């Protein structure tokens, strides 16, 4: 059983910062990647940033330069540092762990950016 527990969302003014955390636990092996996705109302879930199995990072164009993904392997935790937030960053953010046996998702954490 794999569990992903995300935290750190909230309400922030435009230009502000938030840090999201995602702690993984359980039978974790054959990891192909881990990262964050987001879903705004009425839109599909899209990748924000993620690590590949080799440890390289990918960022969506819309967040490049404002958002940083990093991890603490000892704590099995992935973080998303979000700076210079914009109203269009408002969404539910989901942690994702991709393993050979499939995708696992956290419960989602709401990020709301007001102008």
């Amino acid at each position: 059983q794999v569990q992903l527990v995300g935290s750190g969302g909230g309400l922030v003014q435009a230009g502000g910062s938030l840090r999201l955390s995602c702690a993984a636990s359980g039978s974790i092996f054959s990891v192909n990647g881990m990262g964050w996705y987001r879903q705004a109302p009425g839109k599909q879930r899209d990748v924000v940033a993620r690590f590949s199995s080799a440890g390289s990072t990918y960022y969506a164009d819309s967040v490049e330069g404002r958002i940083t993904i990093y991890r603490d392997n000892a704590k099995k935790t992935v973080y998303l540092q979000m700076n210079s937030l914009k109203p269009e960053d408002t969404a539910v953010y989901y942690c994702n762990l991709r393993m050979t046996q499939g995708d696992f998702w956290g419960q989602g954490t709401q990020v709301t950016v007001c102008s």
Side-chain angles (χ1 to χ4, degrees), residues 46-96:
D46 289 324
V47 62
V48 178
R50 66 180 295 109
F51 284 104
S52 71
S53 58
S56 61
T57 54
Y58 166 83
Y59 294 94
D61 289 343
S62 58
V63 306
E64 186 84 54
R66 300 187 296 117
I67 289 179
T68 303
I69 188 170
Y70 62 101
R71 61 189 177 183
D72 184 331
N73 289 334
K75 294 182 179 179
K76 296 182 182 178
T77 300
V78 171
Y79 303 91
L80 194 69
Q81 177 65 46
M82 304 189 293
N83 301 322
S84 302
L85 284 163
K86 304 176 180 180
E88 50 264 43
D89 294 317
T90 295
V92 178
Y93 284 68
Y94 295 91
C95 178
N96 168 263

Side-chain angles (χ1 to χ4, degrees), residues 34-54:
M34 189 170 183
W36 290 91
Y37 288 68
R38 68 185 180 187
Q39 188 167 19
K43 296 189 176 180
Q44 68 179 20
R45 190 175 298 186
D46 289 324
V47 62
V48 178
R50 66 180 295 109
F51 284 104
S52 71
S53 58

